[in-house]
Amino acid sequence: MKRWALLKPGWQKLILYLLVLGMTMFLAIVLQWFIVREFGSQLADIQDEQLRYEVQELSSRISEHYATWQAELNELASGLGKNILNQGTRQYTDGLKRESGAFYVLDEQYRVIAGRDNREMKSAVQQIKLLQNGCAVSPFVTEDHQPAQYIVCRIQGAQTGGFMVRTIDSGMLSGMIKNKPVNQHETLFYNDQFKVVASLNTPDINRTDITGVTRRLLEGNTGVVEDQGVKHGIGFSRMGEEALYISVKDVDQDTAQRISSFRKKVWLVMVVLLFMLWAMLVQFRKRIVKDTLVNNQVWDQRRDEDMRQQQDTYYLPLMQTVEQRLQELQEQTTRLTGGDDLKLLGFYHDLANRFEAASSQGKGATHEELEYFRELNENFIQGRLKQESSLGGLLTGVRTLRDELEEKMHDNSGISFTDMNEVLSESLKWANRSLNMKDIQVILRQEPVPSIAAQAPLLYKTIQGLLENAVQAMGQADELPEHQDRSRTGLRTKRQTQVLKVSSRLEEGEIVITIEDTGGGIDDKMRWSYFQPDYSQNSQEHTFSLYHMDAYLKTISGRLKLRNTDQGLQAIVRLRR
Protein backbone atom coordinates (compact mmCIF):
# COMPACT_ATOMS: atom_id res chain seq x y z
CA MET A 1 0.00 0.00 0.00
CA LYS A 2 2.87 2.33 0.73
CA ARG A 3 4.35 1.71 -2.72
CA TRP A 4 0.92 2.27 -4.24
CA ALA A 5 0.61 5.55 -2.37
CA LEU A 6 4.03 6.61 -3.68
CA LEU A 7 2.92 6.20 -7.29
CA LYS A 8 1.84 9.24 -9.22
CA PRO A 9 -1.92 9.68 -9.69
CA GLY A 10 -1.52 9.23 -13.44
CA TRP A 11 0.17 5.84 -13.00
CA GLN A 12 -2.45 4.79 -10.44
CA LYS A 13 -5.21 5.68 -12.87
CA LEU A 14 -3.49 3.82 -15.73
CA ILE A 15 -2.97 0.69 -13.61
CA LEU A 16 -6.59 0.73 -12.47
CA TYR A 17 -7.78 1.12 -16.07
CA LEU A 18 -5.56 -1.78 -17.18
CA LEU A 19 -6.85 -3.98 -14.35
CA VAL A 20 -10.46 -3.18 -15.21
CA LEU A 21 -9.78 -3.77 -18.91
CA GLY A 22 -8.03 -7.08 -18.17
CA MET A 23 -10.85 -8.31 -15.95
CA THR A 24 -13.39 -7.22 -18.56
CA MET A 25 -11.55 -9.09 -21.34
CA PHE A 26 -11.22 -12.18 -19.15
CA LEU A 27 -14.93 -12.15 -18.38
CA ALA A 28 -15.67 -11.55 -22.07
CA ILE A 29 -13.55 -14.56 -23.09
CA VAL A 30 -15.22 -16.77 -20.49
CA LEU A 31 -18.66 -15.56 -21.54
CA GLN A 32 -17.83 -16.06 -25.22
CA TRP A 33 -16.57 -19.59 -24.53
CA PHE A 34 -19.69 -20.42 -22.58
CA ILE A 35 -22.01 -19.01 -25.27
CA VAL A 36 -20.21 -20.79 -28.12
CA ARG A 37 -20.12 -24.00 -26.08
CA GLU A 38 -23.85 -23.80 -25.44
CA PHE A 39 -24.46 -22.99 -29.10
CA GLY A 40 -22.35 -25.95 -30.20
CA SER A 41 -24.14 -28.19 -27.74
CA GLN A 42 -27.55 -27.04 -28.97
CA LEU A 43 -26.43 -27.42 -32.59
CA ALA A 44 -25.12 -30.93 -31.87
CA ASP A 45 -28.41 -31.85 -30.21
CA ILE A 46 -30.30 -30.55 -33.23
CA GLN A 47 -28.06 -32.56 -35.59
CA ASP A 48 -28.45 -35.69 -33.47
CA GLU A 49 -32.18 -35.22 -33.53
CA GLN A 50 -32.08 -34.80 -37.30
CA LEU A 51 -30.03 -37.99 -37.67
CA ARG A 52 -32.42 -39.95 -35.44
CA TYR A 53 -35.40 -38.57 -37.31
CA GLU A 54 -33.89 -39.48 -40.68
CA VAL A 55 -33.09 -43.02 -39.56
CA GLN A 56 -36.62 -43.46 -38.22
CA GLU A 57 -38.06 -42.00 -41.42
CA LEU A 58 -36.00 -44.39 -43.58
CA SER A 59 -36.92 -47.34 -41.39
CA SER A 60 -40.61 -46.54 -41.75
CA ARG A 61 -40.20 -46.00 -45.48
CA ILE A 62 -38.49 -49.38 -45.89
CA SER A 63 -41.22 -51.14 -43.95
CA GLU A 64 -43.89 -49.45 -46.03
CA HIS A 65 -42.20 -50.32 -49.32
CA TYR A 66 -41.63 -53.93 -48.36
CA ALA A 67 -45.23 -54.23 -47.22
CA THR A 68 -46.42 -52.72 -50.52
CA TRP A 69 -44.16 -54.95 -52.58
CA GLN A 70 -45.29 -58.01 -50.69
CA ALA A 71 -48.99 -57.11 -51.12
CA GLU A 72 -48.46 -56.58 -54.85
CA LEU A 73 -46.62 -59.90 -55.10
CA ASN A 74 -49.31 -61.78 -53.21
CA GLU A 75 -51.99 -60.28 -55.47
CA LEU A 76 -49.97 -61.19 -58.55
CA ALA A 77 -49.50 -64.73 -57.25
CA SER A 78 -53.23 -65.28 -56.83
CA GLY A 79 -53.78 -64.33 -60.46
CA LEU A 80 -50.97 -64.62 -62.96
CA GLY A 81 -48.88 -66.95 -60.84
CA LYS A 82 -51.78 -69.40 -60.37
CA ASN A 83 -52.49 -69.50 -64.11
CA ILE A 84 -48.85 -70.09 -65.03
CA LEU A 85 -48.51 -72.80 -62.40
CA ASN A 86 -51.65 -74.63 -63.67
CA GLN A 87 -50.38 -74.62 -67.25
CA GLY A 88 -47.16 -76.27 -66.12
CA THR A 89 -45.09 -75.06 -69.09
CA ARG A 90 -42.14 -72.73 -68.98
CA GLN A 91 -43.00 -69.19 -69.99
CA TYR A 92 -41.37 -65.73 -70.23
CA THR A 93 -37.91 -67.15 -70.68
CA ASP A 94 -36.55 -63.64 -71.24
CA GLY A 95 -37.90 -62.49 -67.90
CA LEU A 96 -41.17 -61.52 -66.32
CA LYS A 97 -41.14 -57.73 -65.75
CA ARG A 98 -43.42 -55.27 -64.07
CA GLU A 99 -42.89 -51.62 -62.97
CA SER A 100 -40.11 -52.49 -60.53
CA GLY A 101 -38.15 -55.69 -60.04
CA ALA A 102 -38.17 -59.00 -61.83
CA PHE A 103 -40.80 -61.71 -61.17
CA TYR A 104 -40.55 -65.51 -61.20
CA VAL A 105 -42.88 -68.50 -60.85
CA LEU A 106 -41.35 -71.65 -59.31
CA ASP A 107 -42.80 -75.12 -58.75
CA GLU A 108 -42.43 -77.24 -55.64
CA GLN A 109 -38.92 -78.33 -56.69
CA TYR A 110 -37.85 -74.69 -57.08
CA ARG A 111 -37.68 -74.98 -60.84
CA VAL A 112 -38.34 -71.78 -62.78
CA ILE A 113 -41.60 -72.00 -64.73
CA ALA A 114 -41.84 -68.31 -65.64
CA GLY A 115 -38.90 -65.94 -65.91
CA ARG A 116 -35.29 -66.32 -66.85
CA ASP A 117 -33.00 -68.87 -65.17
CA ASN A 118 -31.49 -67.44 -62.00
CA ARG A 119 -29.35 -69.71 -59.85
CA GLU A 120 -28.97 -67.13 -57.05
CA MET A 121 -32.72 -66.80 -56.86
CA LYS A 122 -33.16 -70.56 -56.51
CA SER A 123 -30.59 -70.80 -53.72
CA ALA A 124 -32.14 -67.85 -51.87
CA VAL A 125 -35.64 -69.31 -52.11
CA GLN A 126 -34.40 -72.68 -50.87
CA GLN A 127 -33.14 -70.98 -47.69
CA ILE A 128 -36.75 -70.21 -46.69
CA LYS A 129 -37.41 -73.45 -44.88
CA LEU A 130 -40.42 -72.53 -42.81
CA LEU A 131 -42.51 -70.95 -45.52
CA GLN A 132 -45.83 -72.82 -45.44
CA ASN A 133 -48.41 -70.21 -46.36
CA GLY A 134 -48.16 -66.47 -46.98
CA CYS A 135 -44.94 -64.61 -47.90
CA ALA A 136 -41.37 -64.31 -46.62
CA VAL A 137 -38.20 -62.35 -47.43
CA SER A 138 -34.98 -64.14 -48.32
CA PRO A 139 -31.46 -63.13 -47.25
CA PHE A 140 -29.32 -61.05 -49.61
CA VAL A 141 -27.38 -62.88 -52.31
CA THR A 142 -25.06 -61.68 -55.04
CA GLU A 143 -26.68 -61.49 -58.44
CA ASP A 144 -24.56 -60.26 -61.33
CA HIS A 145 -22.05 -58.86 -58.83
CA GLN A 146 -24.83 -56.87 -57.18
CA PRO A 147 -26.69 -57.65 -53.94
CA ALA A 148 -30.26 -58.84 -54.43
CA GLN A 149 -33.09 -59.98 -52.22
CA TYR A 150 -36.28 -61.88 -52.98
CA ILE A 151 -39.81 -61.80 -51.65
CA VAL A 152 -41.37 -65.24 -51.89
CA CYS A 153 -45.12 -65.87 -51.67
CA ARG A 154 -46.74 -69.35 -51.91
CA ILE A 155 -49.31 -69.65 -54.70
CA GLN A 156 -52.64 -70.70 -53.24
CA GLY A 157 -55.44 -72.60 -55.12
CA ALA A 158 -53.26 -74.05 -57.91
CA GLN A 159 -53.38 -77.71 -59.03
CA THR A 160 -49.81 -78.11 -57.87
CA GLY A 161 -47.78 -76.20 -55.32
CA GLY A 162 -45.47 -73.34 -56.27
CA PHE A 163 -44.00 -69.98 -55.44
CA MET A 164 -44.26 -66.46 -56.78
CA VAL A 165 -40.94 -64.59 -56.36
CA ARG A 166 -40.10 -60.92 -56.69
CA THR A 167 -36.57 -59.50 -56.95
CA ILE A 168 -35.49 -56.52 -54.81
CA ASP A 169 -32.27 -55.06 -56.22
CA SER A 170 -30.00 -52.19 -55.16
CA GLY A 171 -31.68 -49.76 -57.49
CA MET A 172 -35.00 -50.19 -55.75
CA LEU A 173 -33.41 -49.69 -52.33
CA SER A 174 -31.33 -46.73 -53.53
CA GLY A 175 -34.52 -45.11 -54.76
CA MET A 176 -35.67 -44.89 -51.17
CA ILE A 177 -32.48 -43.03 -50.28
CA LYS A 178 -32.92 -40.71 -53.26
CA ASN A 179 -36.43 -39.79 -52.20
CA LYS A 180 -35.58 -39.16 -48.54
CA PRO A 181 -36.51 -35.72 -47.15
CA VAL A 182 -32.97 -34.80 -46.08
CA ASN A 183 -30.22 -35.08 -48.69
CA GLN A 184 -27.18 -33.53 -47.04
CA HIS A 185 -26.39 -36.81 -45.24
CA GLU A 186 -24.69 -39.86 -46.72
CA THR A 187 -27.00 -42.86 -46.31
CA LEU A 188 -26.00 -46.51 -46.67
CA PHE A 189 -28.06 -49.72 -46.31
CA TYR A 190 -26.24 -52.83 -45.05
CA ASN A 191 -27.15 -56.48 -44.91
CA ASP A 192 -26.14 -58.84 -42.13
CA GLN A 193 -22.79 -59.49 -43.85
CA PHE A 194 -21.49 -55.89 -43.54
CA LYS A 195 -22.05 -55.33 -47.24
CA VAL A 196 -23.47 -52.13 -48.69
CA VAL A 197 -26.69 -53.01 -50.49
CA ALA A 198 -27.93 -49.51 -51.29
CA SER A 199 -26.30 -46.10 -51.79
CA LEU A 200 -26.56 -43.06 -53.99
CA ASN A 201 -22.92 -43.62 -54.91
CA THR A 202 -22.91 -46.69 -57.21
CA PRO A 203 -19.25 -47.74 -56.52
CA ASP A 204 -20.12 -48.16 -52.83
CA ILE A 205 -22.62 -50.94 -53.51
CA ASN A 206 -21.47 -54.50 -52.60
CA ARG A 207 -18.56 -53.05 -50.59
CA THR A 208 -17.83 -54.66 -47.24
CA ASP A 209 -17.46 -52.19 -44.34
CA ILE A 210 -16.31 -53.64 -41.03
CA THR A 211 -15.95 -50.61 -38.73
CA GLY A 212 -16.92 -49.65 -35.23
CA VAL A 213 -20.10 -48.12 -36.57
CA THR A 214 -21.16 -51.19 -38.58
CA ARG A 215 -20.31 -53.51 -35.67
CA ARG A 216 -22.58 -51.56 -33.37
CA LEU A 217 -25.12 -51.32 -36.16
CA LEU A 218 -25.28 -55.07 -36.73
CA GLU A 219 -25.45 -55.66 -32.99
CA GLY A 220 -28.86 -54.06 -33.14
CA ASN A 221 -27.96 -50.67 -31.62
CA THR A 222 -29.84 -47.55 -32.58
CA GLY A 223 -29.31 -43.85 -32.03
CA VAL A 224 -26.27 -41.65 -32.81
CA VAL A 225 -22.66 -42.84 -32.59
CA GLU A 226 -19.46 -40.92 -33.30
CA ASP A 227 -16.47 -42.35 -35.12
CA GLN A 228 -13.32 -40.31 -35.78
CA GLY A 229 -15.17 -37.06 -35.12
CA VAL A 230 -18.00 -37.90 -37.54
CA LYS A 231 -21.48 -38.65 -36.30
CA HIS A 232 -23.57 -41.53 -37.64
CA GLY A 233 -27.22 -42.18 -37.13
CA ILE A 234 -27.83 -45.95 -37.01
CA GLY A 235 -30.94 -48.12 -37.03
CA PHE A 236 -32.58 -51.03 -38.80
CA SER A 237 -35.83 -52.15 -40.36
CA ARG A 238 -36.91 -55.77 -39.86
CA MET A 239 -38.84 -57.75 -42.48
CA GLY A 240 -39.76 -61.07 -40.97
CA GLU A 241 -36.57 -62.86 -40.03
CA GLU A 242 -34.38 -60.58 -42.12
CA ALA A 243 -33.29 -57.02 -41.39
CA LEU A 244 -32.01 -54.08 -43.39
CA TYR A 245 -29.50 -51.93 -41.47
CA ILE A 246 -29.40 -48.15 -41.94
CA SER A 247 -26.41 -45.84 -41.49
CA VAL A 248 -26.80 -42.09 -41.95
CA LYS A 249 -23.49 -40.25 -41.92
CA ASP A 250 -23.26 -36.51 -41.29
CA VAL A 251 -20.70 -35.46 -43.90
CA ASP A 252 -21.77 -31.84 -43.94
CA GLN A 253 -18.95 -29.49 -42.89
CA ASP A 254 -21.42 -26.69 -42.25
CA THR A 255 -21.39 -27.38 -38.52
CA ALA A 256 -17.86 -26.18 -37.95
CA GLN A 257 -18.45 -23.24 -40.27
CA ARG A 258 -21.64 -22.30 -38.43
CA ILE A 259 -19.86 -22.49 -35.07
CA SER A 260 -16.96 -20.42 -36.43
CA SER A 261 -19.35 -17.87 -37.94
CA PHE A 262 -21.32 -17.76 -34.70
CA ARG A 263 -18.11 -17.26 -32.73
CA LYS A 264 -17.14 -14.33 -34.95
CA LYS A 265 -20.57 -12.78 -34.57
CA VAL A 266 -20.43 -13.25 -30.82
CA TRP A 267 -17.03 -11.56 -30.72
CA LEU A 268 -18.33 -8.70 -32.85
CA VAL A 269 -21.37 -8.22 -30.61
CA MET A 270 -19.26 -8.48 -27.48
CA VAL A 271 -16.74 -5.97 -28.80
CA VAL A 272 -19.59 -3.53 -29.47
CA LEU A 273 -21.12 -4.26 -26.07
CA LEU A 274 -17.74 -3.90 -24.37
CA PHE A 275 -17.17 -0.59 -26.12
CA MET A 276 -20.62 0.61 -25.06
CA LEU A 277 -20.05 -0.71 -21.54
CA TRP A 278 -16.66 0.97 -21.40
CA ALA A 279 -18.16 4.26 -22.58
CA MET A 280 -20.96 3.91 -20.03
CA LEU A 281 -18.43 3.17 -17.29
CA VAL A 282 -16.38 6.21 -18.26
CA GLN A 283 -19.49 8.37 -18.26
CA PHE A 284 -20.61 6.77 -15.00
CA ARG A 285 -17.22 7.46 -13.48
CA LYS A 286 -17.34 11.06 -14.67
CA ARG A 287 -20.84 11.34 -13.25
CA ILE A 288 -19.68 9.90 -9.94
CA VAL A 289 -16.70 12.26 -9.87
CA LYS A 290 -18.97 15.17 -10.74
CA ASP A 291 -21.52 14.16 -8.12
CA THR A 292 -18.73 13.72 -5.60
CA LEU A 293 -17.37 17.16 -6.39
CA VAL A 294 -20.84 18.67 -6.18
CA ASN A 295 -21.53 16.86 -2.90
CA ASN A 296 -18.18 17.99 -1.55
CA GLN A 297 -18.92 21.53 -2.62
CA VAL A 298 -22.35 21.38 -1.03
CA TRP A 299 -20.85 19.85 2.11
CA ASP A 300 -18.13 22.51 2.19
CA GLN A 301 -20.72 25.22 1.63
CA ARG A 302 -22.88 23.88 4.42
CA ARG A 303 -19.88 23.56 6.67
CA ASP A 304 -18.88 27.14 5.89
CA GLU A 305 -22.43 28.27 6.55
CA ASP A 306 -22.45 26.41 9.86
CA MET A 307 -19.10 27.88 10.77
CA ARG A 308 -20.25 31.34 9.79
CA GLN A 309 -23.44 30.87 11.76
CA GLN A 310 -21.42 29.78 14.77
CA GLN A 311 -19.08 32.71 14.26
CA ASP A 312 -22.04 35.06 13.92
CA THR A 313 -23.62 33.57 17.04
CA TYR A 314 -20.58 33.49 19.32
CA TYR A 315 -17.65 35.18 17.64
CA LEU A 316 -19.32 38.15 15.97
CA PRO A 317 -20.82 39.73 19.14
CA LEU A 318 -17.43 39.44 20.83
CA MET A 319 -15.70 41.08 17.88
CA GLN A 320 -18.25 43.86 17.81
CA THR A 321 -17.71 44.49 21.53
CA VAL A 322 -13.94 44.49 21.04
CA GLU A 323 -14.31 46.90 18.15
CA GLN A 324 -16.51 49.20 20.20
CA ARG A 325 -14.07 49.15 23.16
CA LEU A 326 -11.10 49.74 20.85
CA GLN A 327 -12.89 52.66 19.25
CA GLU A 328 -13.65 54.15 22.67
CA LEU A 329 -10.05 53.60 23.79
CA GLN A 330 -8.81 55.28 20.61
CA GLU A 331 -11.06 58.27 21.23
CA GLN A 332 -9.90 58.53 24.88
CA THR A 333 -6.28 58.27 23.83
CA THR A 334 -6.81 60.98 21.25
CA ARG A 335 -8.31 63.24 23.87
CA LEU A 336 -5.37 62.64 26.24
CA THR A 337 -2.83 63.73 23.61
CA GLY A 338 -2.65 67.40 22.73
CA GLY A 339 -5.65 69.68 23.29
CA ASP A 340 -5.90 72.15 26.22
CA ASP A 341 -3.42 70.14 28.33
CA LEU A 342 -0.59 71.44 26.18
CA LYS A 343 -1.19 74.94 27.58
CA LEU A 344 0.48 73.79 30.81
CA LEU A 345 3.73 73.25 28.92
CA GLY A 346 6.08 76.15 29.74
CA PHE A 347 3.76 77.50 32.48
CA TYR A 348 6.39 77.13 35.10
CA HIS A 349 9.02 78.50 32.77
CA ASP A 350 6.93 81.62 32.14
CA LEU A 351 6.39 81.93 35.91
CA ALA A 352 10.14 81.79 36.52
CA ASN A 353 10.70 84.49 33.88
CA ARG A 354 8.17 86.72 35.65
CA PHE A 355 9.93 86.17 38.99
CA GLU A 356 13.25 87.00 37.37
CA ALA A 357 11.89 90.21 35.85
CA ALA A 358 10.39 91.11 39.20
CA SER A 359 13.73 90.50 41.02
CA SER A 360 15.57 92.73 38.51
CA GLN A 361 13.17 95.44 39.47
CA GLY A 362 13.76 94.79 43.14
CA LYS A 363 10.35 93.29 43.81
CA GLY A 364 11.37 90.04 45.47
CA ALA A 365 12.20 86.35 44.41
CA THR A 366 15.59 84.94 45.16
CA HIS A 367 17.90 83.15 42.81
CA GLU A 368 17.07 79.76 44.45
CA GLU A 369 13.38 80.32 43.85
CA LEU A 370 14.02 81.10 40.21
CA GLU A 371 16.10 77.94 39.74
CA TYR A 372 13.48 75.88 41.55
CA PHE A 373 10.74 77.04 39.16
CA ARG A 374 12.97 76.45 36.16
CA GLU A 375 13.81 72.90 37.36
CA LEU A 376 10.16 72.23 38.13
CA ASN A 377 9.21 73.42 34.66
CA GLU A 378 11.88 71.20 33.11
CA ASN A 379 10.69 68.16 35.02
CA PHE A 380 7.10 68.86 33.97
CA ILE A 381 8.14 69.18 30.35
CA GLN A 382 10.12 65.92 30.42
CA GLY A 383 7.29 64.05 32.14
CA ARG A 384 4.79 65.44 29.70
CA LEU A 385 6.97 64.36 26.78
CA LYS A 386 7.23 60.87 28.22
CA GLN A 387 3.45 60.81 28.64
CA GLU A 388 2.95 61.96 25.08
CA SER A 389 5.35 59.28 23.86
CA SER A 390 3.58 56.56 25.87
CA LEU A 391 0.16 57.71 24.68
CA GLY A 392 1.39 57.82 21.09
CA GLY A 393 2.75 54.27 21.39
CA LEU A 394 -0.53 53.15 23.00
CA LEU A 395 -2.52 54.78 20.20
CA THR A 396 -0.34 53.11 17.57
CA GLY A 397 -0.75 49.74 19.32
CA VAL A 398 -4.53 50.16 19.45
CA ARG A 399 -4.67 50.96 15.76
CA THR A 400 -2.36 48.04 14.90
CA LEU A 401 -4.46 45.68 17.02
CA ARG A 402 -7.62 46.86 15.32
CA ASP A 403 -6.10 46.35 11.85
CA GLU A 404 -4.80 42.90 12.75
CA LEU A 405 -8.15 41.89 14.23
CA GLU A 406 -10.02 43.07 11.17
CA GLU A 407 -7.55 41.30 8.86
CA LYS A 408 -7.88 38.00 10.74
CA MET A 409 -11.65 38.28 10.81
CA HIS A 410 -11.69 38.96 7.09
CA ASP A 411 -9.29 36.08 6.30
CA ASN A 412 -10.93 33.49 8.52
CA SER A 413 -14.62 34.11 7.98
CA GLY A 414 -15.00 36.89 5.44
CA ILE A 415 -15.97 39.28 8.24
CA SER A 416 -14.74 42.85 8.20
CA PHE A 417 -15.72 46.10 9.88
CA THR A 418 -18.16 47.70 7.49
CA ASP A 419 -19.47 51.27 7.50
CA MET A 420 -23.22 51.12 6.82
CA ASN A 421 -23.32 54.69 5.53
CA GLU A 422 -20.74 53.71 2.95
CA VAL A 423 -22.83 50.64 2.05
CA LEU A 424 -25.90 52.84 1.48
CA SER A 425 -23.98 55.37 -0.64
CA GLU A 426 -22.32 52.71 -2.81
CA SER A 427 -25.58 50.81 -3.20
CA LEU A 428 -27.34 53.96 -4.47
CA LYS A 429 -24.52 54.47 -6.97
CA TRP A 430 -25.01 50.89 -8.11
CA ALA A 431 -28.77 51.48 -8.46
CA ASN A 432 -28.16 54.55 -10.62
CA ARG A 433 -25.92 52.49 -12.90
CA SER A 434 -27.90 49.24 -13.05
CA LEU A 435 -31.55 50.17 -12.51
CA ASN A 436 -34.02 52.47 -14.22
CA MET A 437 -33.95 55.45 -11.83
CA LYS A 438 -35.60 57.86 -14.25
CA ASP A 439 -38.29 60.03 -12.67
CA ILE A 440 -37.34 58.76 -9.19
CA GLN A 441 -36.34 61.30 -6.55
CA VAL A 442 -33.84 59.92 -4.05
CA ILE A 443 -33.74 61.38 -0.53
CA LEU A 444 -30.74 60.21 1.51
CA ARG A 445 -30.45 60.97 5.22
CA GLN A 446 -27.52 59.58 7.16
CA GLU A 447 -26.52 59.90 10.78
CA PRO A 448 -23.10 58.94 12.12
CA VAL A 449 -23.29 55.20 12.91
CA PRO A 450 -20.50 52.89 14.07
CA SER A 451 -19.05 50.16 11.87
CA ILE A 452 -20.30 46.62 12.32
CA ALA A 453 -18.46 43.34 11.88
CA ALA A 454 -20.10 41.42 9.01
CA GLN A 455 -19.54 40.09 5.49
CA ALA A 456 -19.52 43.24 3.40
CA PRO A 457 -20.55 41.55 0.08
CA LEU A 458 -23.63 40.04 1.72
CA LEU A 459 -24.61 43.36 3.24
CA TYR A 460 -24.26 45.00 -0.16
CA LYS A 461 -26.47 42.30 -1.74
CA THR A 462 -29.08 42.79 0.97
CA ILE A 463 -29.29 46.57 0.60
CA GLN A 464 -29.12 46.39 -3.19
CA GLY A 465 -31.90 43.78 -3.21
CA LEU A 466 -34.16 46.09 -1.19
CA LEU A 467 -33.36 48.99 -3.54
CA GLU A 468 -34.10 46.83 -6.59
CA ASN A 469 -37.46 45.76 -5.15
CA ALA A 470 -38.35 49.37 -4.45
CA VAL A 471 -37.37 50.61 -7.92
CA GLN A 472 -39.24 47.78 -9.65
CA ALA A 473 -42.33 48.45 -7.52
CA MET A 474 -42.29 52.12 -8.47
CA GLY A 475 -41.74 51.20 -12.13
CA GLN A 476 -44.85 49.03 -12.04
CA ALA A 477 -46.80 51.85 -10.36
CA ASP A 478 -45.91 54.13 -13.30
CA GLU A 479 -47.66 51.74 -15.66
CA LEU A 480 -51.02 52.23 -13.87
CA PRO A 481 -53.56 54.71 -15.36
CA GLU A 482 -52.36 58.30 -14.98
CA HIS A 483 -54.09 60.64 -12.49
CA GLN A 484 -56.29 63.28 -14.02
CA ASP A 485 -57.01 66.66 -12.37
CA ARG A 486 -59.62 69.25 -13.43
CA SER A 487 -58.43 72.85 -13.84
CA ARG A 488 -59.69 75.96 -15.45
CA THR A 489 -58.47 74.83 -18.86
CA GLY A 490 -60.21 71.49 -18.54
CA LEU A 491 -58.77 67.97 -18.04
CA ARG A 492 -54.98 67.78 -17.82
CA THR A 493 -52.69 64.84 -17.30
CA LYS A 494 -50.46 64.75 -14.22
CA ARG A 495 -47.74 62.14 -13.54
CA GLN A 496 -47.09 61.42 -9.87
CA THR A 497 -43.44 61.82 -8.84
CA GLN A 498 -41.88 58.71 -7.32
CA VAL A 499 -39.78 59.19 -4.20
CA LEU A 500 -37.18 56.82 -2.74
CA LYS A 501 -36.19 57.59 0.84
CA VAL A 502 -33.05 56.00 2.28
CA SER A 503 -31.90 56.73 5.83
CA SER A 504 -29.67 55.45 8.60
CA ARG A 505 -29.86 56.28 12.29
CA LEU A 506 -28.46 55.06 15.56
CA GLU A 507 -30.74 53.82 18.30
CA GLU A 508 -29.91 52.25 21.62
CA GLY A 509 -27.88 49.12 20.79
CA GLU A 510 -29.00 49.05 17.14
CA ILE A 511 -28.39 50.59 13.74
CA VAL A 512 -31.61 51.16 11.81
CA ILE A 513 -31.60 51.30 8.00
CA THR A 514 -34.85 52.41 6.34
CA ILE A 515 -35.69 52.16 2.61
CA GLU A 516 -39.11 53.60 1.73
CA ASP A 517 -40.70 53.77 -1.72
CA THR A 518 -43.97 54.99 -3.24
CA GLY A 519 -44.66 51.84 -5.24
CA GLY A 520 -48.01 51.00 -3.68
CA GLY A 521 -46.93 48.43 -1.05
CA ILE A 522 -47.54 44.72 -0.87
CA ASP A 523 -50.50 42.44 -0.26
CA ASP A 524 -50.63 41.61 3.45
CA LYS A 525 -52.14 38.21 2.65
CA MET A 526 -49.08 37.37 0.56
CA ARG A 527 -46.52 38.70 3.06
CA TRP A 528 -45.72 35.23 4.41
CA SER A 529 -45.18 33.83 0.91
CA TYR A 530 -42.52 36.41 0.07
CA PHE A 531 -40.20 34.92 2.68
CA GLN A 532 -40.46 31.31 1.42
CA PRO A 533 -37.45 29.71 -0.29
CA ASP A 534 -39.39 28.73 -3.41
CA TYR A 535 -41.05 32.11 -3.96
CA SER A 536 -39.50 35.19 -5.48
CA GLN A 537 -41.29 38.19 -6.90
CA ASN A 538 -38.47 39.27 -9.16
CA SER A 539 -35.67 37.53 -11.02
CA GLN A 540 -32.80 39.13 -9.09
CA GLU A 541 -29.54 38.18 -10.71
CA HIS A 542 -27.06 40.21 -8.66
CA THR A 543 -28.92 40.58 -5.37
CA PHE A 544 -30.68 38.55 -2.69
CA SER A 545 -34.33 37.57 -2.60
CA LEU A 546 -36.36 38.45 0.49
CA TYR A 547 -35.92 34.90 1.79
CA HIS A 548 -32.12 35.07 1.55
CA MET A 549 -32.06 38.61 2.95
CA ASP A 550 -33.99 37.54 6.01
CA ALA A 551 -31.89 34.37 6.41
CA TYR A 552 -28.62 36.26 6.23
CA LEU A 553 -29.68 39.07 8.57
CA LYS A 554 -30.69 36.46 11.15
CA THR A 555 -27.16 35.02 11.10
CA ILE A 556 -25.76 38.38 12.26
CA SER A 557 -28.55 38.93 14.79
CA GLY A 558 -30.32 41.35 12.44
CA ARG A 559 -33.97 41.70 11.50
CA LEU A 560 -35.92 42.64 8.39
CA LYS A 561 -39.41 44.09 8.62
CA LEU A 562 -41.76 45.20 5.82
CA ARG A 563 -44.44 47.79 6.63
CA ASN A 564 -47.00 49.30 4.27
CA THR A 565 -47.28 53.09 4.24
CA ASP A 566 -49.87 55.40 2.68
CA GLN A 567 -48.03 55.44 -0.66
CA GLY A 568 -45.80 52.40 -0.70
CA LEU A 569 -43.62 50.05 1.30
CA GLN A 570 -41.09 50.69 4.04
CA ALA A 571 -38.31 48.14 4.56
CA ILE A 572 -36.63 48.41 7.97
CA VAL A 573 -33.32 46.68 8.68
CA ARG A 574 -32.14 46.54 12.30
CA LEU A 575 -28.52 45.59 12.97
CA ARG A 576 -26.96 45.01 16.34
CA ARG A 577 -24.06 47.33 17.10
Side-chain angles (χ1 to χ4, degrees), residues 428-572:
L428 286 173
K429 293 180 181 178
W430 169 86
N432 288 325
R433 294 192 305 269
S434 305
L435 305 177
N436 185 12
M437 300 290 289
K438 185 179 180 181
D439 298 328
I440 296 178
Q441 180 182 357
V442 179
I443 299 176
L444 177 62
R445 294 189 180 92
Q446 293 178 323
E447 296 180 2
V449 294
S451 300
I452 63 171
Q455 295 91 346
L458 303 184
L459 278 178
Y460 274 99
K461 284 190 175 183
T462 300
I463 300 301
Q464 290 173 2
L466 294 174
L467 291 175
E468 184 176 4
N469 289 339
V471 172
Q472 290 182 355
M474 289 186 290
Q476 294 175 359
D478 285 340
E479 297 176 359
L480 297 176
E482 297 176 338
H483 295 278
Q484 291 183 346
D485 294 338
R486 183 173 299 275
S487 62
R488 293 180 181 178
T489 58
L491 294 176
R492 62 183 181 87
T493 301
K494 177 184 178 182
R495 180 178 296 276
Q496 184 180 2
T497 302
Q498 303 292 351
V499 179
L500 177 62
K501 297 180 180 180
V502 181
S503 64
S504 63
R505 68 179 186 274
L506 182 61
E507 294 184 356
E508 184 177 357
E510 288 183 334
I511 299 174
V512 181
I513 307 297
T514 304
I515 299 176
E516 183 178 348
D517 61 64
T518 57
I522 61 175
D523 186 359
D524 289 332
K525 296 181 181 180
M526 297 291 294
R527 185 188 301 269
W528 180 83
S529 300
Y530 297 152
F531 291 91
Q532 299 305 309
D534 56 348
Y535 183 89
S536 178
Q537 281 184 290
N538 305 310
S539 57
Q540 296 159 324
E541 299 178 0
H542 307 288
T543 60
F544 277 163
S545 63
L546 289 175
Y547 167 78
H548 291 93
M549 294 179 197
D550 183 64
Y552 168 67
L553 290 176
K554 288 179 180 179
T555 61
I556 58 174
S557 301
R559 292 174 295 168
L560 173 61
K561 182 178 180 181
L562 301 180
R563 185 173 66 87
N564 281 322
T565 63
D566 295 338
Q567 296 181 344
L569 180 69
Q570 187 180 60
I572 302 173

Side-chain angles (χ1 to χ4, degrees), residues 64-96:
E64 292 176 359
H65 277 76
Y66 269 83
T68 302
W69 292 336
Q70 183 174 326
E72 291 177 353
L73 181 63
N74 196 10
E75 182 180 358
L76 189 61
S78 62
L80 179 63
K82 179 179 177 182
N83 294 332
I84 294 175
L85 189 62
N86 289 331
Q87 293 177 5
T89 58
R90 180 174 174 77
Q91 303 178 19
Y92 308 107
T93 55
D94 295 334
L96 181 61

